[in-house]
Amino acid sequence: MRRLREITPGVLVATADAYTTTSTVVVGDDGGCLVIDPAVSVADLAALAADLAGAGLRPRAGFATHPHWDHVLWSSDLGDVPRYAAPGAVAAAGSWREEMIAQVRQEAPGHDLELFGRLAPLPAGAGPIPWDGPAAQVIIHDGHAPGHGAVFLPGAGVLVAGDMLSDIEIPLLDVDADDPLGDYRAGLRLLAAVPGVRWLVPGHGHVAGAGEIRQRLDADARYLDLLAAGEPFDDPRCTQPWLRDSHQQQLRRVTGLTSDGLG
Ligand SMILES: [Zn+2]
């Protein structure tokens, strides 16, 4: 793991080797902090906790951007604090629990499964993350996964996008949803409308500064337009076999054929 790096005062980002997964830490005035998507391996979480302790920072709350196994991890070293997610994400994490446990056992073995995926819905269903540090607004949509929550930090101008707006991954749709394209487009529109974003942190990939954010939005919108057209196409981010497989699956889904041919 590349250790915690301050991208702007009060916002730290660590990047794991696995899938270039980011974890974001929001620092409060009194040494309390909010930990978003701690990931991925047991060693990564131990290093994150050690970095926080070394910097005199104590987690006060956690947030999971969405109900995929690599975003709902936790370690006792990070403390026994409330871990929030959007209500739709909490519900999905509950119903997919066994499947996600199988994935974490395969991809990142050794985590304390008692802590895995233990999320509480945001009070009142939405709005800011309830903690006593800098304001953290949650932007909820169903693109990529049910109850996907991006976090906007208006004071720092940072948008923690979850699994959207990546420079190394294509948009990954929730192909089991009724309207995967519509859900994703609605999510992108919400993110594009957030005012005052100066830093963008994707769930996988590299932090973008203000000059690059528009390109990320345009790249994802272009991908969705080409997908909607239903013709084969390529995307420069399709560099890994699993991304090419996902791309083909998405093409089949939007052209009306599921991967098992049942339509
Ligand atoms: Zn995901």
Side-chain angles (χ1 to χ4, degrees), residues 16 61 169 237:
E169 291 184 357
R237 294 169 292 182

Side-chain angles (χ1 to χ4, degrees), residues 113-197:
L113 297 177
E114 279 304 307
L115 298 175
F116 177 72
R118 300 297 186 201
L119 304 171
L122 288 170
I129 296 172
W131 81 302
D132 57 5
Q137 301 166 356
V138 180
I139 301 146
I140 301 172
H141 57 80
D142 292 318
H144 181 67
H148 189 294
V151 180
F152 180 55
L153 308 168
V158 174
L159 178 64
V160 182
D163 281 3
M164 314 266 291
L165 303 176
S166 172
D167 57 332
I168 61 166
E169 291 184 357
I170 55 173
L172 295 167
L173 280 56
D174 179 5
V175 292
D176 296 325
D178 291 340
D179 183 8
L181 256 178
D183 289 344
Y184 210 101
R185 283 185 158 140
L188 268 190
R189 275 196 299 273
L190 286 175
L191 299 187
V194 177
V197 180

Side-chain angles (χ1 to χ4, degrees), residues 66 68 70-71 144 163:
H66 64 287
H68 287 164
D70 49 332
H71 298 263
H144 181 67
D163 281 3

Side-chain angles (χ1 to χ4, degrees), residues 102 105 142 157 167 180 195 200 260 262:
R105 280 194 166 125
D142 292 318
D167 57 332
L200 167 75
D260 57 7
L262 295 175

Side-chain angles (χ1 to χ4, degrees), residues 8 14 19 26 35-36 52 54 68 70 87 125 139 216 225 228 243 261:
T8 191
Y19 322 109
V26 185
V35 181
I36 302 171
L52 293 178
H68 287 164
D70 49 332
I139 301 146
R216 297 274 180 101
D225 286 347
L243 281 167

